[in-house]
Amino acid sequence: MKNLAFILSCVFLSCSTQPMKQSNTTPSFEQLMADGFTEMRIIEANDTPCQFLLKSKNGTVYEVEEIQSRIPGMKANTNIYVKFTPLKRVSQCNAQPIKIEELHQ
């Protein structure tokens, strides 16, 4: 009975901690857009509590929790492509909070 409880808890924990997908192949810009990615630019946010934010081509600014650990090798003024989900929480940096689902640098 204890083994069953242990196995079930492992299964539930593994389901809830999905890692973010990162693509290392180099598809074209058009292919990325067709696959639902959004092109964003990493910007420095000196006037907010956040060090970095993401800015889309249409000017919308996005906040990502723990952005430096989510985007490896991150540098300001670099373009990246992301699939994301908007979050319903208060922003700390006057930007739309999002969760990155998939990333292509």
Side-chain angles (χ1 to χ4, degrees):
M1 189 66 154
K2 288 182 183 180
N3 288 339
L4 179 62
F6 175 75
I7 292 170
L8 287 175
S9 65
C10 288
V11 169
F12 287 119
L13 287 175
S14 67
C15 291
S16 65
T17 56
Q18 287 183 330
M20 179 184 59
K21 296 178 189 174
Q22 184 169 355
S23 176
N24 293 326
T25 58
T26 349
S28 68
F29 172 77
E30 292 81 17
Q31 185 180 5
L32 288 169
M33 295 297 120
D35 288 343
F37 282 87
T38 301
E39 182 179 10
M40 299 215 189
R41 186 167 197 79
I42 299 170
I43 60 171
E44 291 186 76
N46 298 328
D47 57 343
T48 70
C50 297
Q51 186 176 2
F52 294 100
L53 297 170
L54 298 179
K55 187 173 186 177
S56 68
K57 289 242 182 205
N58 68 7
T60 305
V61 180
Y62 297 95
E63 171 188 341
V64 180
E65 274 189 290
E66 301 173 8
I67 190 169
Q68 290 175 310
S69 64
R70 303 230 184 256
I71 305 173
M74 183 179 69
K75 296 178 195 167
N77 298 317
T78 303
N79 287 349
I80 60 171
Y81 300 89
V82 296
K83 284 185 183 179
F84 65 91
T85 304
L87 298 175
K88 294 182 181 182
R89 66 169 175 81
V90 176
S91 172
Q92 299 174 8
C93 305
N94 296 325
Q96 168 64 52
I98 61 171
K99 176 184 177 187
I100 295 177
E101 300 294 336
E102 200 169 340
L103 167 70
H104 187 335
Q105 292 181 301

XYZ file of all heavy atoms in Angstrom:
831
model
N 0.824 -1.195 0.000
C 0.000 0.000 0.000
C 0.870 1.261 0.000
O 0.555 2.218 -0.687
C -0.928 -0.036 1.223
C -1.964 1.037 1.199
S -3.093 0.750 -0.160
C -4.495 1.544 0.432
N 1.978 1.230 0.770
C 2.873 2.390 0.795
C 3.537 2.582 -0.562
O 3.753 3.705 -0.992
C 3.937 2.221 1.872
C 3.402 2.359 3.273
C 4.512 2.233 4.284
C 3.968 2.306 5.688
N 5.011 2.191 6.692
N 3.865 1.475 -1.226
C 4.496 1.566 -2.544
C 3.545 2.207 -3.555
O 3.965 3.004 -4.394
C 4.928 0.193 -3.051
C 6.120 -0.335 -2.287
O 6.848 0.437 -1.669
N 6.317 -1.627 -2.329
N 2.272 1.862 -3.490
C 1.290 2.436 -4.397
C 1.167 3.941 -4.175
O 1.132 4.716 -5.133
C -0.073 1.754 -4.221
C -1.190 2.279 -5.099
C -0.849 2.067 -6.567
C -2.493 1.593 -4.776
N 1.126 4.361 -2.928
C 1.038 5.789 -2.621
C 2.280 6.517 -3.116
O 2.198 7.625 -3.655
C 0.864 5.995 -1.119
N 3.440 5.914 -2.959
C 4.685 6.521 -3.422
C 4.679 6.664 -4.951
O 5.022 7.711 -5.496
C 5.885 5.683 -2.968
C 7.188 6.173 -3.501
C 7.770 7.312 -2.978
C 7.822 5.519 -4.545
C 8.974 7.787 -3.473
C 9.020 5.980 -5.042
C 9.601 7.116 -4.508
N 4.270 5.628 -5.647
C 4.241 5.655 -7.109
C 3.258 6.712 -7.608
O 3.556 7.479 -8.517
C 3.891 4.263 -7.678
C 5.050 3.290 -7.400
C 3.585 4.333 -9.161
C 4.731 1.847 -7.701
N 2.088 6.779 -7.001
C 1.091 7.772 -7.410
C 1.589 9.196 -7.163
O 1.396 10.086 -7.994
C -0.226 7.540 -6.689
C -1.031 6.319 -7.157
C -2.257 6.135 -6.276
C -1.430 6.465 -8.609
N 2.251 9.415 -6.037
C 2.758 10.765 -5.757
C 3.850 11.138 -6.749
O 3.934 12.283 -7.191
C 3.268 10.886 -4.322
O 4.388 10.047 -4.121
N 4.689 10.188 -7.152
C 5.724 10.465 -8.159
C 5.102 10.822 -9.499
O 5.561 11.730 -10.192
C 6.661 9.270 -8.317
S 7.750 9.038 -6.921
N 4.063 10.110 -9.876
C 3.389 10.378 -11.141
C 2.775 11.770 -11.134
O 2.931 12.537 -12.087
C 2.316 9.307 -11.435
C 1.437 9.724 -12.590
C 2.972 7.971 -11.707
N 2.088 12.143 -10.050
C 1.464 13.456 -9.980
C 2.501 14.566 -9.965
O 2.321 15.599 -10.595
C 0.546 13.575 -8.758
C -0.729 12.799 -8.916
C -1.047 11.774 -8.053
C -1.604 13.086 -9.948
C -2.215 11.049 -8.201
C -2.782 12.369 -10.110
C -3.083 11.354 -9.226
N 3.601 14.379 -9.271
C 4.637 15.402 -9.231
C 5.296 15.570 -10.589
O 5.599 16.678 -11.011
C 5.691 15.061 -8.170
C 5.255 15.231 -6.727
C 6.333 14.753 -5.782
C 4.911 16.676 -6.447
N 5.525 14.494 -11.288
C 6.168 14.602 -12.592
C 5.246 15.271 -13.610
O 5.703 15.943 -14.517
C 6.614 13.233 -13.107
O 5.500 12.426 -13.391
N 3.953 15.124 -13.466
C 3.007 15.756 -14.388
C 2.936 17.259 -14.176
O 2.733 18.008 -15.109
C 1.613 15.163 -14.219
S 1.499 13.457 -14.781
N 3.102 17.719 -12.951
C 2.912 19.137 -12.664
C 4.157 19.968 -12.900
O 4.088 21.174 -12.894
C 2.445 19.307 -11.216
O 3.471 18.874 -10.353
N 5.301 19.356 -13.109
C 6.526 20.127 -13.303
C 7.070 19.908 -14.701
O 8.151 19.384 -14.882
C 7.583 19.742 -12.257
O 7.804 18.329 -12.352
C 7.156 20.102 -10.861
N 6.313 20.340 -15.697
C 6.747 20.195 -17.080
C 7.862 21.178 -17.371
O 7.732 22.371 -17.094
C 5.604 20.482 -18.040
C 4.574 19.417 -18.102
C 3.526 19.775 -19.145
O 3.256 20.936 -19.388
N 2.952 18.763 -19.750
N 8.961 20.728 -17.939
C 10.017 21.663 -18.306
C 9.631 22.460 -19.550
O 8.845 21.996 -20.370
C 11.211 20.750 -18.602
C 10.600 19.455 -19.001
C 9.310 19.349 -18.224
N 10.181 23.661 -19.659
C 9.932 24.477 -20.832
C 10.687 23.879 -22.013
O 11.835 23.495 -21.902
C 10.437 25.896 -20.565
C 10.263 26.825 -21.713
S 10.959 28.447 -21.419
C 12.652 28.076 -21.108
N 10.027 23.792 -23.153
C 10.660 23.258 -24.345
C 11.582 24.318 -24.935
O 11.245 25.490 -24.962
C 9.609 22.889 -25.394
C 8.690 21.786 -24.982
C 7.678 21.555 -26.091
C 6.585 20.617 -25.662
N 5.546 20.512 -26.694
N 12.739 23.896 -25.399
C 13.645 24.798 -26.091
C 14.096 24.129 -27.375
O 14.557 23.000 -27.354
C 14.843 25.146 -25.226
C 15.736 26.157 -25.890
C 16.782 26.720 -24.964
O 16.800 26.423 -23.790
N 17.645 27.537 -25.494
N 13.954 24.841 -28.455
C 14.299 24.296 -29.755
C 15.691 24.755 -30.160
O 16.027 25.916 -30.016
C 13.273 24.761 -30.777
O 13.632 24.318 -32.048
N 16.514 23.836 -30.662
C 17.861 24.180 -31.091
C 18.014 24.194 -32.609
O 19.068 24.549 -33.109
C 18.873 23.201 -30.483
C 18.954 23.355 -28.987
O 18.807 24.454 -28.475
N 19.189 22.270 -28.281
N 16.992 23.784 -33.341
C 17.066 23.813 -34.797
C 16.855 25.249 -35.277
O 16.416 26.098 -34.531
C 16.008 22.890 -35.415
O 14.722 23.308 -34.965
C 16.260 21.449 -35.031
N 17.136 25.513 -36.536
C 17.018 26.870 -37.048
C 15.962 26.978 -38.131
O 16.303 27.063 -39.311
C 18.369 27.350 -37.624
O 19.385 26.463 -37.276
C 18.713 28.707 -37.154
N 14.687 26.996 -37.780
C 13.654 27.183 -38.800
C 13.615 28.649 -39.249
O 14.131 29.528 -38.580
C 12.368 26.801 -38.084
C 12.654 26.963 -36.647
C 14.132 26.769 -36.469
N 12.988 28.896 -40.356
C 12.887 30.259 -40.881
C 11.917 31.087 -40.037
O 11.095 30.550 -39.293
C 12.399 30.222 -42.326
O 11.056 29.785 -42.362
N 12.028 32.397 -40.199
C 11.140 33.328 -39.511
C 9.680 33.024 -39.836
O 8.830 32.979 -38.950
C 11.497 34.760 -39.927
C 10.530 35.797 -39.445
C 10.559 36.219 -38.132
C 9.584 36.351 -40.300
C 9.665 37.181 -37.681
C 8.692 37.309 -39.860
C 8.735 37.722 -38.540
N 9.388 32.768 -41.090
C 8.018 32.488 -41.518
C 7.492 31.201 -40.880
O 6.338 31.123 -40.478
C 7.928 32.380 -43.044
C 8.153 33.675 -43.777
C 9.636 34.040 -43.938
O 10.505 33.159 -43.766
O 9.910 35.219 -44.205
N 8.362 30.193 -40.789
C 7.956 28.924 -40.177
C 7.673 29.105 -38.687
O 6.703 28.562 -38.166
C 9.035 27.875 -40.382
C 8.639 26.501 -39.884
C 9.729 25.467 -40.110
O 10.822 25.788 -40.563
N 9.425 24.236 -39.788
N 8.488 29.886 -38.000
C 8.259 30.156 -36.579
C 6.932 30.869 -36.363
O 6.156 30.519 -35.471
C 9.407 30.984 -35.997
C 10.726 30.265 -35.801
C 11.840 31.256 -35.484
C 10.612 29.221 -34.702
N 6.645 31.863 -37.184
C 5.387 32.608 -37.058
C 4.194 31.689 -37.346
O 3.188 31.747 -36.644
C 5.362 33.809 -38.006
C 6.389 34.871 -37.705
S 6.158 35.637 -36.091
C 7.703 35.240 -35.340
N 4.328 30.830 -38.335
C 3.255 29.893 -38.675
C 3.031 28.888 -37.547
O 1.906 28.419 -37.347
C 3.574 29.161 -39.973
N 4.079 28.573 -36.790
C 3.970 27.634 -35.672
C 3.471 28.287 -34.389
O 3.414 27.648 -33.346
C 5.323 26.967 -35.412
C 5.696 25.974 -36.498
O 4.806 25.560 -37.266
O 6.889 25.623 -36.583
N 3.151 29.580 -34.440
C 2.569 30.257 -33.284
C 3.559 30.970 -32.386
O 3.219 31.383 -31.280
N 4.790 31.143 -32.839
C 5.779 31.876 -32.046
C 5.584 33.372 -32.241
O 5.097 33.820 -33.280
C 7.203 31.496 -32.477
C 7.667 30.174 -31.947
C 7.391 29.013 -32.641
C 8.379 30.089 -30.764
C 7.821 27.782 -32.177
C 8.813 28.865 -30.291
C 8.535 27.713 -30.986
N 5.996 34.150 -31.243
C 5.970 35.602 -31.315
C 7.411 36.093 -31.203
O 8.142 35.664 -30.314
C 5.146 36.192 -30.149
O 3.816 35.672 -30.224
C 5.110 37.698 -30.202
N 7.801 36.991 -32.096
C 9.150 37.551 -32.021
C 9.172 38.620 -30.932
O 8.309 39.501 -30.900
C 9.562 38.164 -33.358
C 10.978 38.700 -33.330
C 11.421 39.289 -34.656
O 10.575 39.469 -35.561
O 12.614 39.564 -34.784
N 10.148 38.530 -30.043
C 10.285 39.505 -28.956
C 11.740 39.926 -28.834
O 12.639 39.196 -29.204
C 9.803 38.908 -27.643
C 8.360 38.515 -27.659
S 7.633 38.789 -26.077
C 6.058 38.016 -26.316
N 11.911 41.103 -28.288
C 13.249 41.636 -28.054
C 13.461 41.725 -26.548
O 12.583 42.182 -25.820
C 13.378 43.008 -28.694
C 14.758 43.598 -28.640
C 14.800 44.810 -29.593
N 16.141 45.199 -29.917
C 16.920 44.604 -30.810
N 16.475 43.563 -31.463
N 18.128 45.047 -31.060
N 14.625 41.285 -26.089
C 14.967 41.393 -24.665
C 15.417 42.830 -24.427
O 16.307 43.333 -25.122
C 16.093 40.417 -24.300
C 15.643 38.972 -24.569
C 16.506 40.606 -22.846
C 16.749 37.939 -24.482
N 14.780 43.496 -23.452
C 15.142 44.879 -23.138
C 15.501 44.996 -21.663
O 15.025 44.222 -20.835
C 14.004 45.864 -23.492
C 12.725 45.531 -22.708
C 13.741 45.879 -24.983
C 11.630 46.578 -22.844
N 16.351 45.956 -21.354
C 16.675 46.238 -19.962
C 15.585 47.124 -19.394
O 15.071 48.009 -20.066
C 18.030 46.921 -19.853
C 19.177 45.990 -20.220
C 20.520 46.613 -19.968
O 20.912 46.686 -18.780
O 21.150 47.017 -20.945
N 15.232 46.865 -18.143
C 14.154 47.618 -17.501
C 14.707 48.339 -16.280
O 14.426 47.993 -15.137
C 13.025 46.677 -17.106
N 15.511 49.347 -16.524
C 16.212 50.041 -15.445
C 15.293 50.780 -14.481
O 15.628 50.947 -13.323
C 17.226 51.036 -16.039
C 18.283 50.320 -16.860
O 18.652 49.191 -16.565
N 18.759 50.984 -17.901
N 14.140 51.217 -14.938
C 13.238 51.995 -14.088
C 12.175 51.144 -13.388
O 11.204 51.668 -12.886
C 12.584 53.106 -14.907
C 11.829 52.574 -16.122
O 12.073 51.409 -16.505
O 11.017 53.334 -16.684
N 12.348 49.830 -13.355
C 11.405 48.931 -12.684
C 12.179 47.966 -11.783
O 13.404 47.874 -11.891
C 10.596 48.089 -13.700
O 11.467 47.139 -14.304
C 9.960 48.958 -14.773
N 11.477 47.218 -10.942
C 12.154 46.199 -10.116
C 12.708 45.036 -10.943
O 13.539 44.280 -10.466
C 11.061 45.689 -9.181
C 9.946 46.650 -9.271
C 10.084 47.373 -10.563
N 12.263 44.898 -12.175
C 12.745 43.822 -13.040
C 14.009 44.278 -13.764
O 14.109 45.425 -14.183
C 11.690 43.457 -14.080
S 10.177 42.810 -13.364
N 14.945 43.362 -13.943
C 16.167 43.703 -14.653
C 15.952 43.672 -16.169
O 16.446 44.516 -16.897
C 17.288 42.741 -14.270
C 18.619 43.119 -14.870
C 19.748 42.218 -14.410
O 19.532 41.274 -13.659
N 20.933 42.504 -14.869
N 15.183 42.649 -16.639
C 14.915 42.499 -18.064
C 13.428 42.274 -18.298
O 12.748 41.675 -17.472
C 15.675 41.305 -18.648
C 17.166 41.472 -18.644
C 17.942 40.879 -17.664
C 17.795 42.226 -19.629
C 19.317 41.026 -17.656
C 19.162 42.369 -19.632
C 19.937 41.779 -18.643
N 12.951 42.736 -19.461
C 11.584 42.493 -19.914
C 11.651 42.063 -21.375
O 12.701 42.173 -22.010
C 10.740 43.767 -19.795
C 10.531 44.316 -18.378
C 9.899 45.693 -18.433
C 9.679 43.374 -17.556
N 10.529 41.586 -21.902
C 10.426 41.251 -23.314
C 9.485 42.251 -23.977
O 8.474 42.646 -23.393
C 9.875 39.840 -23.495
C 10.704 38.705 -22.921
C 10.006 37.364 -23.152
C 12.094 38.685 -23.528
N 9.811 42.648 -25.201
C 8.976 43.609 -25.937
C 8.665 43.039 -27.308
O 9.564 42.653 -28.050
C 9.708 44.940 -26.070
C 8.863 46.038 -26.655
C 9.605 47.353 -26.600
C 8.728 48.492 -27.053
N 9.417 49.775 -26.940
N 7.366 42.979 -27.639
C 6.947 42.455 -28.944
C 7.070 43.539 -30.000
O 7.261 44.715 -29.697
C 5.517 41.937 -28.868
O 4.628 43.006 -28.677
N 6.924 43.133 -31.263
C 7.016 44.078 -32.386
C 5.948 45.171 -32.312
O 6.160 46.276 -32.776
C 6.878 43.324 -33.705
C 8.070 42.479 -34.013
C 8.688 42.963 -35.276
C 9.861 42.074 -35.606
N 10.818 42.745 -36.412
N 4.781 44.822 -31.713
C 3.711 45.821 -31.628
C 3.861 46.750 -30.422
O 3.009 47.583 -30.173
C 2.325 45.158 -31.640
C 2.050 44.353 -30.391
O 2.816 44.367 -29.436
N 0.943 43.624 -30.396
N 4.944 46.590 -29.647
C 5.236 47.501 -28.542
C 4.764 47.035 -27.177
O 5.025 47.707 -26.183
N 4.069 45.915 -27.092
C 3.621 45.402 -25.800
C 4.821 44.872 -25.021
O 5.674 44.178 -25.567
C 2.592 44.269 -25.986
O 1.522 44.748 -26.796
C 2.044 43.804 -24.647
N 4.877 45.211 -23.739
C 5.989 44.800 -22.885
C 5.500 43.679 -21.968
O 4.412 43.757 -21.396
C 6.516 45.992 -22.059
C 7.672 45.577 -21.162
C 6.949 47.123 -22.981
N 6.330 42.634 -21.846
C 5.974 41.449 -21.078
C 6.988 41.189 -19.973
O 8.181 41.400 -20.150
C 5.922 40.217 -21.994
C 4.869 40.318 -23.068
C 5.187 40.783 -24.332
C 3.559 39.953 -22.812
C 4.228 40.876 -25.321
C 2.589 40.048 -23.794
C 2.928 40.509 -25.041
O 1.968 40.604 -26.020
N 6.468 40.717 -18.851
C 7.282 40.354 -17.689
C 7.299 38.830 -17.554
O 6.257 38.192 -17.648
C 6.647 40.983 -16.443
C 7.215 40.548 -15.139
C 6.406 41.065 -13.954
O 5.626 42.032 -14.104
O 6.540 40.472 -12.882
N 8.484 38.269 -17.329
C 8.635 36.827 -17.132
C 9.308 36.610 -15.790
O 10.392 37.154 -15.545
C 9.498 36.193 -18.254
C 9.651 34.699 -18.024
C 8.906 36.481 -19.617
N 8.656 35.825 -14.914
C 9.281 35.507 -13.632
C 10.566 34.735 -13.864
O 10.617 33.859 -14.730
C 8.337 34.646 -12.778
C 7.367 35.462 -11.964
C 6.616 34.597 -10.986
O 5.783 33.793 -11.439
O 6.879 34.726 -9.781
N 11.585 35.064 -13.114
C 12.878 34.378 -13.193
C 13.360 34.290 -14.636
O 13.772 33.247 -15.124
C 12.792 32.996 -12.564
C 12.383 33.025 -11.116
C 12.136 31.635 -10.541
O 12.416 30.636 -11.218
O 11.672 31.575 -9.398
N 13.332 35.411 -15.324
C 13.626 35.440 -16.758
C 15.038 34.935 -17.069
O 15.248 34.260 -18.064
C 13.390 36.853 -17.340
C 13.456 36.826 -18.869
C 14.359 37.867 -16.766
C 12.984 38.105 -19.537
N 15.999 35.241 -16.219
C 17.376 34.843 -16.518
C 17.565 33.333 -16.470
O 18.372 32.793 -17.203
C 18.347 35.549 -15.586
C 18.415 37.041 -15.913
C 19.264 37.815 -14.957
O 19.104 37.693 -13.757
N 20.155 38.621 -15.497
N 16.806 32.640 -15.638
C 16.916 31.182 -15.607
C 16.079 30.538 -16.711
O 16.340 29.422 -17.127
C 16.486 30.638 -14.244
O 15.116 30.905 -14.013
N 15.080 31.239 -17.228
C 14.227 30.698 -18.288
C 14.831 30.884 -19.686
O 14.508 30.148 -20.597
C 12.852 31.348 -18.247
C 12.165 31.190 -16.903
C 10.793 30.675 -17.072
N 10.119 30.610 -15.796
C 9.925 29.484 -15.136
N 10.350 28.355 -15.620
N 9.307 29.479 -13.984
N 15.653 31.908 -19.843
C 16.266 32.187 -21.143
C 17.783 32.127 -20.975
O 18.410 33.100 -20.556
C 15.836 33.569 -21.690
C 14.311 33.664 -21.750
C 16.454 33.816 -23.053
C 13.787 35.024 -22.110
N 18.387 30.976 -21.277
C 19.831 30.830 -21.082
C 20.629 31.735 -22.020
O 20.253 31.957 -23.163
C 20.091 29.357 -21.389
C 18.873 28.841 -22.051
C 17.759 29.788 -21.785
N 21.732 32.290 -21.508
C 22.599 33.143 -22.314
C 21.937 34.438 -22.751
O 22.255 34.993 -23.789
N 21.034 34.953 -21.935
C 20.241 36.119 -22.286
C 21.083 37.394 -22.308
O 21.880 37.628 -21.421
C 19.117 36.263 -21.264
C 18.178 37.375 -21.539
S 16.876 37.446 -20.326
C 17.776 37.963 -18.911
N 20.898 38.210 -23.350
C 21.559 39.510 -23.475
C 20.525 40.527 -23.921
O 19.631 40.217 -24.713
C 22.668 39.457 -24.519
C 23.806 38.538 -24.179
C 24.811 38.547 -25.313
C 25.757 37.385 -25.159
N 26.552 37.164 -26.352
N 20.659 41.755 -23.444
C 19.751 42.823 -23.859
C 19.901 43.071 -25.358
O 20.961 42.849 -25.937
C 20.044 44.089 -23.071
N 18.820 43.523 -25.970
C 18.750 43.848 -27.398
C 18.953 42.638 -28.297
O 19.436 42.765 -29.415
C 19.737 44.968 -27.748
C 19.416 46.237 -27.006
O 18.257 46.619 -26.894
N 20.423 46.866 -26.452
N 18.559 41.464 -27.809
C 18.598 40.233 -28.589
C 17.169 39.834 -28.928
O 16.287 39.946 -28.082
C 19.266 39.101 -27.782
O 20.559 39.525 -27.390
C 19.360 37.828 -28.588
N 16.939 39.380 -30.142
C 15.616 38.897 -30.529
C 15.499 37.414 -30.226
O 16.448 36.657 -30.456
C 15.351 39.136 -32.004
C 15.091 40.593 -32.301
O 14.900 41.400 -31.411
N 15.100 40.941 -33.564
N 14.337 37.011 -29.706
C 14.025 35.611 -29.457
C 12.605 35.354 -29.956
O 11.860 36.292 -30.228
C 14.145 35.240 -27.960
C 13.174 36.073 -27.116
C 15.569 35.368 -27.467
C 13.083 35.631 -25.681
N 12.236 34.104 -30.056
C 10.897 33.703 -30.477
C 10.305 32.846 -29.370
O 10.945 31.896 -28.917
C 10.958 32.930 -31.796
C 11.565 33.757 -32.899
C 12.932 33.748 -33.116
C 10.768 34.568 -33.689
C 13.498 34.525 -34.118
C 11.318 35.352 -34.688
C 12.685 35.326 -34.892
O 13.234 36.109 -35.877
N 9.117 33.191 -28.906
C 8.505 32.470 -27.801
C 7.049 32.141 -28.083
O 6.361 32.858 -28.806
C 8.582 33.272 -26.467
C 10.003 33.481 -26.026
C 7.865 34.592 -26.558
N 6.605 31.041 -27.492
C 5.181 30.744 -27.348
C 4.928 30.984 -25.870
O 5.694 30.525 -25.020
C 4.880 29.297 -27.699
C 4.872 29.000 -29.171
C 4.442 27.564 -29.421
C 4.491 27.219 -30.880
N 4.089 25.821 -31.126
N 3.848 31.698 -25.556
C 3.616 32.048 -24.158
C 2.140 32.023 -23.814
O 1.274 32.005 -24.682
C 4.202 33.428 -23.849
C 3.535 34.564 -24.596
C 2.466 35.241 -24.040
C 3.986 34.945 -25.843
C 1.855 36.275 -24.722
C 3.387 35.986 -26.542
C 2.320 36.656 -25.975
N 1.903 32.005 -22.505
C 0.551 32.064 -21.958
C 0.476 33.278 -21.037
O 1.332 33.417 -20.153
C 0.242 30.794 -21.138
O 0.439 29.655 -21.966
C -1.167 30.818 -20.599
N -0.512 34.163 -21.213
C -0.667 35.290 -20.288
C -1.037 34.787 -18.889
O -1.754 33.796 -18.747
C -1.820 36.093 -20.881
C -1.999 35.593 -22.267
C -1.490 34.197 -22.302
N -0.526 35.460 -17.881
C -0.843 35.108 -16.495
C -1.770 36.160 -15.906
O -1.682 37.338 -16.248
C 0.445 35.022 -15.659
C 1.460 33.970 -16.088
C 2.727 34.098 -15.252
C 0.873 32.578 -15.958
N -2.633 35.719 -15.019
C -3.554 36.642 -14.359
C -3.032 36.909 -12.954
O -3.470 36.308 -11.982
C -4.960 36.054 -14.317
C -5.553 35.919 -15.681
C -6.956 35.380 -15.640
C -7.482 35.260 -17.050
N -8.840 34.798 -17.104
N -2.053 37.783 -12.888
C -1.507 38.212 -11.606
C -1.050 39.656 -11.751
O -0.914 40.171 -12.855
C -0.366 37.315 -11.150
C 0.861 37.360 -12.011
C 2.015 36.638 -11.312
N 3.175 36.572 -12.157
C 4.046 37.552 -12.336
N 3.862 38.713 -11.747
N 5.093 37.379 -13.118
N -0.813 40.291 -10.640
C -0.390 41.680 -10.649
C 1.060 41.765 -11.121
O 1.909 40.995 -10.689
C -0.531 42.288 -9.233
C -0.014 43.708 -9.197
C -1.979 42.232 -8.789
N 1.332 42.701 -11.992
C 2.684 42.907 -12.502
C 3.506 43.692 -11.497
O 3.023 44.615 -10.862
C 2.645 43.673 -13.819
O 3.937 44.037 -14.218
N 4.757 43.319 -11.366
C 5.680 44.064 -10.513
C 6.436 45.113 -11.317
O 7.106 45.962 -10.765
C 6.681 43.102 -9.874
C 6.039 42.061 -9.006
C 7.048 41.038 -8.509
O 8.253 41.196 -8.689
N 6.562 39.992 -7.896
N 6.341 45.033 -12.636
C 7.184 45.858 -13.507
C 6.393 46.640 -14.548
O 6.942 47.016 -15.582
C 8.190 44.956 -14.216
S 9.144 43.972 -13.081
N 5.117 46.871 -14.325
C 4.266 47.587 -15.280
C 4.304 46.949 -16.661
O 4.454 47.626 -17.679
C 4.655 49.061 -15.366
C 4.435 49.779 -14.070
O 3.493 49.486 -13.336
N 5.310 50.710 -13.740
N 4.194 45.621 -16.696
C 4.205 44.868 -17.948
C 3.248 43.692 -17.803
O 2.898 43.295 -16.699
C 5.614 44.369 -18.242
N 2.829 43.112 -18.918
C 1.926 41.945 -18.907
C 2.712 40.714 -18.458
O 3.637 40.300 -19.131
C 1.358 41.719 -20.304
C 0.641 40.395 -20.493
C -0.599 40.252 -19.648
O -1.453 41.107 -19.665
N -0.686 39.163 -18.916
N 2.350 40.101 -17.316
C 3.027 38.870 -16.892
C 2.676 37.698 -17.818
O 1.516 37.533 -18.196
C 2.484 38.612 -15.488
C 1.877 39.899 -15.057
C 1.412 40.578 -16.304
N 3.696 36.927 -18.205
C 3.489 35.763 -19.058
C 4.321 34.594 -18.559
O 5.275 34.768 -17.804
C 3.859 36.046 -20.539
C 5.333 36.431 -20.674
C 2.944 37.077 -21.144
C 5.830 36.511 -22.113
N 3.930 33.408 -19.029
C 4.703 32.181 -18.793
C 5.174 31.717 -20.155
O 4.370 31.531 -21.073
C 3.833 31.125 -18.134
C 4.546 29.793 -17.958
C 3.619 28.737 -17.395
C 4.341 27.418 -17.314
N 3.449 26.347 -16.925
N 6.477 31.501 -20.296
C 7.014 31.026 -21.563
C 6.796 29.520 -21.657
O 7.221 28.786 -20.787
C 8.508 31.369 -21.689
C 8.705 32.886 -21.741
C 9.109 30.712 -22.939
C 10.143 33.321 -21.788
N 6.127 29.094 -22.714
C 5.848 27.687 -22.947
C 6.933 27.036 -23.812
O 7.308 25.891 -23.591
C 4.483 27.504 -23.620
C 3.314 28.040 -22.821
C 3.073 27.304 -21.521
O 3.456 26.140 -21.395
O 2.492 27.927 -20.609
N 7.397 27.779 -24.809
C 8.419 27.267 -25.720
C 9.275 28.435 -26.179
O 8.785 29.544 -26.348
C 7.748 26.575 -26.899
C 8.626 25.638 -27.639
C 7.860 24.770 -28.631
O 6.624 24.612 -28.497
O 8.510 24.254 -29.554
N 10.556 28.172 -26.379
C 11.517 29.221 -26.691
C 12.395 28.802 -27.859
O 12.795 27.646 -27.956
C 12.378 29.483 -25.454
C 13.638 30.315 -25.594
C 13.290 31.763 -25.863
C 14.481 30.203 -24.344
N 12.678 29.772 -28.727
C 13.641 29.541 -29.797
C 14.513 30.794 -29.882
O 14.017 31.882 -30.055
C 12.940 29.306 -31.131
C 13.861 28.907 -32.223
N 15.183 29.204 -32.244
C 13.647 28.195 -33.341
C 15.730 28.723 -33.322
N 14.818 28.112 -34.004
N 15.819 30.591 -29.726
C 16.736 31.741 -29.755
C 17.416 31.843 -31.085
O 17.653 30.901 -31.768
C 17.796 31.607 -28.664
C 17.174 31.748 -27.294
C 18.197 31.646 -26.178
O 18.886 30.646 -26.062
N 18.284 32.656 -25.370
